Amino acid sequence: MTDRLAGSSYPSDAGLLAELREQWPPTAEADAAIGRGYVAPDLAASEPAAVVRLGDRFAVALVAGPDGSFRVVPLARDAVLVTTWRQAVPGDGLSAFVAGVPMASERAIEADQTNTSVVVGERAIVKWFGRSGPAPSRATGLTAHLDAVGFREMPQPLGALTWASPTGVELTLAQGDAFLPEARDGWEWAVERLERHVNHGQTLCAADCDPWIGARLGSLVVRLHAALLTPSSVIPEPAAIAAPAVAAAWRDAGQATLNEALRLTAEQDPEAGAALAAIEDAVRADLDRLPLDRPVAIAPVHGDLHVGQVLEWSGGLAVIDFDGNPALGAAANALRQPPERDLAQMVSSLDHVGQIVDQRSAGHARQIIDAWIARTRRDFLATLDPDPALLAAFEAEQECRELVYAARFLPRWRYAPVATLRARYG
Ligand code: ADP
Ligand code: MG
């Protein structure tokens, strides 16, 4: 297994682009046995702006989006002499080719994902971005930075497949990482530990199942944030200061998110909407705690740091997925933000671990769960020393973001942020 993804930046191939445009859109793989494709986009409406050729049988088409981003469409053909291109599927060798080990096995991962990750030879995982740009990938830069400063509590980055866009931006099409065997994300391992704690005595605890995960996660985030703040050749000056005008923009965005959360929730679920309306003033007051009269320290942040981004595997814990929050726009995914953003999101997700277990146990363990949430939060924050005003404002905003996300994409998730907000402000 090589430890670098084959090649880095590729130009577009004019001859192949003309050929592809004639047969666009490429067919999706009909054979269910092979598995689902890398992407399931509606491709008929537009044609490719560029195509990167990868050897004889693979290619990646780029379809321009309205905002300067590109859909990434991995393609394959079944033999060199076959002229029709189809959408690639895990198993046909594209990811193994890109990882530099064309004979290795490929399998799709089962977990909930925004992009398409393919495990190659049980040693590497190649994540294909559904969309790339308009800015360079956060993850490629951040993981290179963390690697350079010696942060090891993440899968080792193996390089990226990039393409130079017409405006000269290196866009990441796929990112390779070392595959961590038997890794499980926090929506599994943290939830399971709390469930065992709740059912104490009823379940045999085979593996390490200490429910008090707050301090362990807190010290991981201390080391992550220290590494993010360490200068490297990739990010020579990580630390910066946000001017009051920037903080004012954060506050406006927070208020707008609250308004949207209230409106969408009331439309879709009047009962939850009424519960939120009753605490609206208190939530708004926390959003208003963002300090506008003093400069705020900012630094590179993970940008989507919830418990699902912390994998537990045989080597310990590992942080993944530095792409930022896929549900938010570019401003909200700025590289540099107050570190309290990451802390607020992690604290919120730990609270949601409690809400998940509460729902599964039909409310029978509410007191145990509330005590777990309180202690886990305290243990997590103990070594982190956040600014309380920033933390309170970002926590309130995080719950509002979750409500908007639930309303747009996952209504059955709404109960979690509603329960968290009611517990805090009700
Ligand atoms: P997405 O951007 O699609 O959310 P992630 O990077 O969060 O993709 O990865 C999705 C899932 O893939 C994770 O929740 C985890 O289960 C698995 N995964 C990601 N990276 C690794 C890795 N290096 N080793 C093992 N599993 C991984
Ligand atoms: Mg993820």
Side-chain angles (χ1 to χ4, degrees):
M1 169 84 46
T2 73
D3 67 350
R4 293 285 145 193
L5 244 64
S8 48
S9 183
Y10 286 91
S12 185
D13 182 316
L16 180 56
L17 183 60
E19 191 182 317
L20 265 183
R21 281 184 170 162
E22 268 172 29
Q23 46 177 276
W24 201 258
T27 53
E29 182 51 64
D31 184 353
I34 301 182
R36 65 188 184 87
Y38 283 84
V39 282
D42 168 26
L43 294 172
S46 46
E47 55 174 25
V51 61
V52 169
R53 180 193 281 277
L54 296 166
D56 296 320
R57 291 206 302 114
F58 305 114
V60 184
L62 288 314
V63 177
D67 55 352
S69 71
F70 291 84
R71 301 293 286 263
V72 179
V73 186
L75 300 170
R77 57 178 174 171
D78 291 306
V80 177
L81 295 176
V82 173
T83 51
T84 11
W85 292 84
R86 59 170 174 80
Q87 293 186 41
V89 289
D92 61 22
L94 167 65
S95 295
F97 177 86
V98 160
V101 281
M103 303 307 284
S105 64
E106 282 186 350
R107 69 178 168 87
I109 60 146
E110 309 280 307
D112 252 16
Q113 49 187 332
T114 313
N115 301 292
T116 304
S117 293
V118 180
V119 179
V120 174
E122 303 302 313
R123 293 289 298 279
I125 183 162
V126 178
K127 172 149 113 179
W128 290 87
F129 292 91
R131 187 178 283 284
S132 192
S137 151
R138 276 182 111 253
T140 305
L142 276 177
T143 50
H145 167 76
L146 288 168
D147 195 37
V149 301
F151 182 74
R152 295 286 167 258
E153 289 166 286
M154 63 175 183
Q156 206 214 319
L158 301 180
L161 176 73
T162 66
W163 165 69
S165 79
T167 54
V169 184
E170 283 293 314
L171 297 184
T172 299
L173 311 182
Q175 162 84 40
D177 285 312
F179 179 69
L180 306 180
E182 284 161 48
R184 300 194 314 149
D185 78 41
W187 297 122
E188 288 184 52
W189 67 262
V191 167
E192 188 181 288
R193 279 163 194 246
L194 177 55
E195 275 185 319
R196 286 202 163 126
H197 175 57
V198 161
N199 301 326
H200 183 69
Q202 296 167 25
T203 330
L204 257 176
C205 182
D208 174 19
C209 56
D210 177 10
W212 307 114
I213 61 175
R216 190 167 165 226
L217 282 172
S219 62
L220 172 67
V221 175
V222 166
R223 292 189 294 275
L224 171 67
H225 279 173
L228 286 168
L229 256 183
T230 304
S232 75
S233 58
V234 184
I235 307 181
E237 288 179 32
I241 297 291
V246 175
W250 295 334
R251 195 193 48 182
D252 293 347
Q255 298 285 354
T257 307
L258 170 59
N259 294 340
E260 197 177 5
L262 290 167
R263 181 177 62 79
L264 291 173
T265 308
E267 261 171 39
Q268 296 183 8
D269 182 342
E271 198 185 318
L276 293 181
I279 57 172
E280 174 184 345
D281 292 347
V283 180
R284 213 173 278 286
D286 266 351
L287 293 174
D288 274 335
R289 289 179 65 187
L290 269 185
L292 303 186
D293 51 351
R294 58 177 164 91
V296 174
I298 54 175
V301 293
H302 178 282
D304 194 20
L305 190 64
H306 55 77
V307 76
Q309 310 282 34
V310 181
L311 304 184
E312 185 176 53
W313 66 296
S314 50
L317 298 181
V319 183
I320 59 163
D321 201 357
F322 291 80
D323 303 320
N325 187 328
L328 303 177
N333 278 316
L335 177 69
R336 288 185 182 77
Q337 298 179 53
E340 282 83 358
R341 272 280 186 216
D342 279 351
L343 309 188
Q345 195 174 1
M346 182 58 79
V347 161
S348 157
S349 74
L350 291 169
D351 198 307
H352 296 158
V353 166
Q355 309 310 337
I356 290 169
V357 176
D358 180 53
Q359 199 197 45
R360 288 193 193 165
S361 54
H364 296 314
R366 189 72 249 185
Q367 279 185 332
I368 302 178
I369 290 169
D370 284 342
W372 180 87
I373 291 174
R375 172 166 165 192
T376 304
R377 175 196 172 85
R378 204 170 54 238
D379 290 351
F380 175 73
L381 292 173
T383 45
L384 283 157
D385 194 28
D387 176 317
L390 287 172
L391 184 67
F394 292 149
E395 274 189 76
E397 182 173 5
Q398 182 60 37
E399 299 306 329
C400 295
R401 287 177 171 178
E402 303 274 341
L403 286 168
V404 171
Y405 175 82
R408 291 216 187 113
F409 305 108
L410 197 63
R412 66 187 159 79
W413 177 243
R414 180 177 295 125
Y415 78 93
V418 168
T420 299
L421 285 166
R422 293 182 76 168
R424 177 142 346 130
Y425 298 102

